[in-house]
Amino acid sequence: MTNPIVPLKLNRNKKGTWFMKKLTGLLVIVILHSIAFAQAAAPKTTYILAGHLFDATTDKVRENVVITIEGDRIKSVAATQPPPGATVIDLSHYTVLPGLIDCHTHLGSRADRYNEINRFKDTPFDEAFYAVVNARKTLEAGFTTVRDVGSLPFLAVDLRNTINEGYIPGPRIVASGPGISITGGHGDLNNFSPQTRVQMFPDERNFQIADDANQLRHVVRAQVKYGVDVIKILATGGVLSKGDSPGAPQFTFEELKAAADTAHMAGRKIAAHAHGTEGIKNAILAGIDSIEHASMIDDEGIRLAKEHGTYLVMDIYNDEYILNEAPKVGLPQENIEKEKMVGRLQRENFQKAVKAGVKMAFGTDAGVYPHGDNAKQFAYMVKFGMTPPQAIRAATSSAADLIGRASDVGTIEPGKYADIIAVSQDPLADVKVLEHVDFVMKGGTIYKDPRQKQ
Ligand SMILES: [Zn+2]
């Protein structure tokens, strides 16, 4: 073995000595287990030659750096040379970056059809099949981590587990359950006859509908019970729902606070869908961790977000798709009108929030537009006020901070997962190059590689 790891050496030296016999039975078992594990899975060492490295710890690029990967983690990032005979991935003509993170996706959703009849035709299995395909597309686009903020109960949890098991390819998933809604709200099935129902879990109102603080506490706890990482609550009306207004609050401050406190008590973060001005402010004051959309945020809302350290996750690309493509595939007129009200305003307010220095994390509402196009949002973020490094850090280090995974992902540093992408041109000169990622590695495993040399 060329690179013995330290614990293995220690264990071997101690094995069979008198000292070993003095140890408690439990410790012996632990050590034997660790020997067996280390021998069965000696981690493979790989070296990436990075011509240009944007590691997302600063806004700067470093030249000619070697990233050493041991197993699924980064061991070192330094200006060294790999030893002779080592496994080398030559990206010396590329810009290497951390795997990208999208904090707002719906992997179970499709954007190629908007006719509402599908809400009654699809089974939960259908959505799970879509999610498997969409997860792969997302990973191959360079997004090695996503937060899924709204799907059938508990599709995102199962998808996360199946990907983690290595059974199917996909990004790391921070999973929510269904977005929690009031009766008649953004997450409900509205404006059909009262005898129309689509319910998987009637006793639990699909783990989705809550109308007061106690019901919210129950739904949050029930979602935690079934394995969600994060809670999603619908604090105002929405664009792609029927019969509700994006600007109108859909929970009171007290209700939002009950949900936020319950989530935090369970060690979970909570994200609030909020377009309307009042709902945004209520959500920030209630202690919610991120405001999704934030379309009608006003100056006071921006000030509050800054004061509370609340992240804004503003999906400023998808307006393009909703207005130009979705109508061709059945999007009802009501939703088109709502998007016209909200889209332009959201971009203006994004610009104000960037200027004010509010924390921003990259999130696109993938599923509203086709999965895999996530990186199209970078150009809009730059057009509306961010520098390219700012936009990239929103999708790497800042996103990792928001989702609570900063010790594992978001930068290229020793100890982090080897979640690494590369592009053939300079993304700091033109962020659009991130729309065509050439190389994708997640946890040391390569998923896309035009030029690997062994
Ligand atoms: Zn969404």
Side-chain angles (χ1 to χ4, degrees):
M1 188 188 293
T2 50
N3 284 298
I5 57 166
V6 174
L8 182 60
K9 257 188 177 170
L10 287 175
N11 292 341
R12 274 187 177 155
N13 291 345
K14 281 181 185 169
K15 197 179 172 190
T17 62
W18 65 269
F19 177 69
M20 191 67 155
K21 291 172 194 147
K22 302 260 181 207
L23 291 174
T24 65
L26 182 64
L27 192 52
V28 172
I29 290 167
V30 169
I31 289 177
L32 288 175
H33 265 278
S34 73
I35 290 169
F37 179 76
Q39 286 175 341
K44 194 176 157 228
T45 302
T46 309
Y47 299 84
I48 292 182
L49 310 183
H52 317 278
L53 174 69
F54 184 86
D55 63 17
T57 62
T58 69
D59 288 359
K60 299 265 173 330
V61 171
R62 293 157 71 185
E63 307 296 323
N64 300 317
V65 179
V66 175
I67 305 166
T68 307
I69 296 154
E70 201 169 74
D72 60 358
R73 301 243 178 200
I74 296 166
K75 194 183 171 200
S76 67
V77 183
T80 52
Q81 282 301 312
T87 303
V88 171
I89 301 161
D90 185 358
L91 298 173
S92 53
H93 299 293
Y94 287 78
T95 299
V96 174
L97 307 104
L100 302 169
I101 303 170
D102 190 331
C103 299
H104 194 127
T105 67
H106 302 277
L107 289 169
S109 299
R110 282 171 58 171
D112 59 335
R113 37 163 228 190
Y114 270 96
N115 194 314
E116 56 192 8
I117 190 68
N118 295 308
R119 299 194 67 164
F120 307 99
K121 288 166 83 177
D122 274 1
T123 69
F125 301 110
D126 288 320
E127 288 205 21
F129 295 141
Y130 308 151
V132 169
V133 172
N134 295 333
R136 179 177 208 140
K137 282 185 184 166
T138 304
L139 177 63
E140 288 176 351
F143 287 79
T144 51
T145 300
V146 301
R147 196 171 60 159
D148 192 283
V149 283
S151 53
L152 296 175
F154 285 93
L155 187 157
V157 168
D158 294 342
L159 185 65
R160 173 197 71 200
N161 294 347
T162 312
I163 290 170
N164 286 350
E165 209 187 320
Y167 197 71
I168 53 170
R172 301 179 195 284
I173 292 178
V174 174
S176 87
I180 304 170
S181 171
I182 57 165
T183 295
H186 178 51
D188 205 354
L189 185 70
N190 305 328
N191 292 6
F192 294 101
S193 70
Q195 69 267 32
T196 308
R197 293 247 190 299
V198 180
Q199 289 210 319
M200 291 165 73
F201 303 100
D203 292 348
E204 292 283 355
R205 303 174 84 187
N206 270 0
F207 298 96
Q208 180 159 35
I209 304 296
D211 286 310
D212 64 26
N214 273 333
Q215 289 179 15
L216 276 164
R217 286 186 196 100
H218 172 74
V219 179
V220 170
R221 286 169 181 153
Q223 290 198 0
V224 169
K225 169 173 167 162
Y226 294 107
V228 303
D229 300 303
V230 61
I231 300 296
K232 168 83 176 295
I233 190 163
L234 308 176
T236 73
V239 170
L240 299 178
S241 43
K242 284 170 67 173
D244 63 339
S245 157
Q250 293 197 338
F251 281 110
T252 65
F253 165 77
E254 287 74 20
E255 288 163 346
L256 292 172
K257 181 135 185 6
D261 290 349
T262 309
H264 291 152
M265 209 188 295
R268 304 306 199 273
K269 294 207 181 197
I270 177 166
H273 157 108
H275 289 287
T277 314
E278 188 185 339
I280 291 169
K281 289 191 258 197
N282 283 341
I284 295 170
L285 291 169
I288 278 170
D289 299 282
S290 68
I291 307 299
E292 311 297 305
H293 313 297
S295 310
M296 303 177 197
I297 193 167
D298 64 3
D299 291 345
E300 193 192 3
I302 288 174
R303 186 177 57 73
L304 287 173
K306 230 187 140 176
E307 221 172 86
H308 289 252
T310 313
Y311 271 96
L312 303 185
V313 179
M314 298 178 76
D315 49 334
I316 59 169
Y317 159 65
N318 63 45
D319 179 65
E320 222 57 53
Y321 189 86
I322 294 172
L323 294 184
N324 299 322
E325 302 304 321
K328 295 179 201 161
V329 285
L331 185 69
Q333 195 57 34
E334 175 185 345
N335 306 110
I336 299 169
E337 294 306 326
K338 287 204 264 184
E339 181 59 30
K340 282 182 180 162
M341 266 171 44
V342 160
R344 186 180 50 81
L345 199 56
Q346 189 194 29
R347 290 170 177 190
E348 288 169 11
N349 289 332
F350 175 86
Q351 200 152 18
K352 281 189 195 165
V354 170
K355 231 177 228 160
V358 180
K359 288 191 194 171
M360 309 283 269
F362 185 97
T364 63
D365 222 352
V368 163
Y369 68 88
H371 295 274
D373 284 351
N374 312 54
K376 286 189 174 173
Q377 185 168 290
F378 284 112
Y380 290 85
M381 293 168 89
V382 170
K383 184 174 171 191
F384 292 96
M386 280 188 170
T387 63
Q390 249 181 320
I392 298 169
R393 289 181 75 184
T396 51
S397 45
S398 301
D401 179 48
L402 166 60
I403 63 174
R405 302 288 168 93
S407 57
D408 283 328
V409 298
T411 61
I412 296 185
E413 286 181 285
K416 301 275 174 102
Y417 280 124
D419 291 1
I420 293 169
I421 63 164
V423 286
S424 59
Q425 277 152 49
D426 180 7
L428 301 188
D430 180 6
V431 278
K432 271 177 161 285
V433 307
L434 292 169
E435 292 171 21
H436 306 283
V437 169
D438 297 283
F439 174 87
V440 179
M441 171 184 272
K442 189 191 111 194
T445 301
I446 296 169
Y447 291 91
K448 196 174 186 183
D449 180 16
R451 49 176 63 202
Q452 184 184 4
K453 288 177 192 160
Q454 290 287 332

